[in-house]
Amino acid sequence: MRNTRRSFLYHDVATALRARIARGTYPAGERLPSLSELMDEFEVSAITIRRALTELTYEGLIRGHQGLGVFVKEKPRIHRVLAGDPDRSIGDEIARAGFTPRLEEIGFSEITADDDVAARLRVPRGAKLFMHQKLTFANDEPVALHSWRFRPRLAKQLREDLSTQFIFPLLKKRKIEVDNLRCEFSSTVLGEEQSSFFGLPAGSPMMRVDYTMTTKAGAPVIIGVTLARADRFTFEVNLPQRRGRR
């Protein structure tokens, strides 16, 4: 039993270091503790530490610099542009950052409107609605959680493709009229339930974007919330200037 346990020690070290990198204890670009420091901390041999570091190198999390040490690799940030362009999805921008985008549906369920949702969608409190949730991945890393709320008729129109397509191109495909997109930006932290989706500790910093899509007449179509990893995204908003009358 003792020999079996020792053979897996490198995996335990790799798991601990991986978790520290994920929660920002070792930020991107920072040097990891030296070989001797890690040996002292984990009370293992140099071979065990090297095996753990090799595993993290294969995963693309760290890289070594001859004579300088081992550093956390910097990942390209995903540049999210919100400019009212239905052809520009978050998936396209993940691809432009060099990652493979992927969606994973978490749930599609019937809900009743609370005071806040009722006011934003202009429906009676307690009205029947549908909520759809899905994760967006960059390669195999979850980077954003989306929650959308629809009236039943629209939910039925979109249901077939919701789990596999990004929302803005899907609305265009289904010819759903959206004339205006309002975005509210704020900072937040992961709750206990949300942390399990991202594989990050509760309390990790996140960016929050609240969306309200309306028709030309100003009627709300969809409301939604996106929680995006603050260390993986940069949001850009284009604001064309209105020219005054002369």
Side-chain angles (χ1 to χ4, degrees):
M1 292 295 293
R2 185 180 302 168
N3 290 338
T4 301
R5 175 62 184 160
R6 289 183 61 81
S7 69
F8 286 95
L9 279 176
Y10 82 91
H11 177 73
D12 299 334
V13 174
T15 298
L17 295 178
R18 189 184 297 110
R20 293 178 189 179
I21 292 170
R23 65 175 175 259
T25 303
Y26 304 142
E30 182 170 304
R31 185 175 70 85
L32 265 62
S34 67
L35 180 66
S36 60
E37 288 172 330
L38 292 173
M39 289 169 58
D40 290 342
E41 177 184 353
F42 290 101
E43 299 181 346
V44 295
S45 67
I47 293 175
T48 298
I49 297 297
R50 289 194 181 101
R51 287 188 69 185
L53 296 179
T54 298
E55 185 169 306
L56 298 184
T57 301
Y58 287 154
E59 294 175 10
L61 293 176
I62 61 174
R63 60 183 173 187
H65 291 276
Q66 187 68 35
L68 297 176
V70 178
F71 294 80
V72 179
K73 287 184 69 173
E74 295 193 19
K75 296 182 180 180
R77 294 181 71 86
I78 301 162
H79 195 88
R80 180 73 174 115
V81 180
L82 295 172
D85 183 358
D87 293 324
R88 177 176 277 176
S89 74
I90 191 172
D92 296 325
E93 286 156 353
I94 288 172
R96 276 191 283 272
F99 304 103
T100 300
R102 178 171 65 85
L103 292 172
E104 180 179 303
E105 184 175 73
I106 295 173
F108 181 83
S109 58
E110 182 178 319
I111 62 170
T112 55
D114 60 18
D115 289 332
D116 178 63
V117 170
R120 291 177 62 193
L121 271 179
R122 298 183 191 172
V123 297
R125 185 180 186 279
K128 174 182 172 182
L129 301 172
F130 283 86
M131 180 174 71
H132 180 252
Q133 288 186 298
K134 59 190 171 190
L135 280 169
T136 294
F137 289 77
N139 291 345
D140 290 323
E141 178 184 45
V143 293
L145 171 64
H146 314 280
S147 300
W148 303 101
R149 290 166 177 81
F150 319 86
R151 294 182 181 88
R153 182 179 177 183
L154 182 56
K156 184 177 179 180
Q157 286 180 268
L158 301 178
R159 179 65 188 113
E160 182 181 349
D161 296 318
L162 274 173
S163 62
T164 58
Q165 296 190 26
F166 292 95
I167 190 69
F168 297 114
L170 175 56
L171 291 173
K172 181 181 179 181
K173 173 184 174 182
R174 295 292 186 179
K175 298 182 179 179
I176 307 298
E177 178 193 3
V178 174
D179 186 71
N180 187 68
L181 172 65
R182 180 185 178 188
C183 302
E184 299 177 43
F185 299 88
S186 59
S187 60
T188 187
V189 297
L190 281 178
E192 291 289 346
E193 181 181 355
Q194 299 158 340
S195 67
S196 64
F197 296 140
F198 288 91
L200 295 174
S204 297
M206 303 292 286
M207 299 175 67
R208 174 177 172 135
V209 187
D210 287 82
Y211 301 92
T212 303
M213 305 180 200
T214 58
T215 65
K216 194 170 185 179
V221 180
I222 300 174
I223 61 172
V225 177
T226 291
L227 295 181
R229 284 188 53 163
D231 61 335
R232 305 298 286 114
F233 279 91
T234 295
F235 279 82
E236 176 185 330
V237 180
N238 288 335
L239 299 173
Q241 299 298 299
R242 295 181 179 179
R243 296 189 180 185
R245 294 181 180 179
R246 295 185 179 182

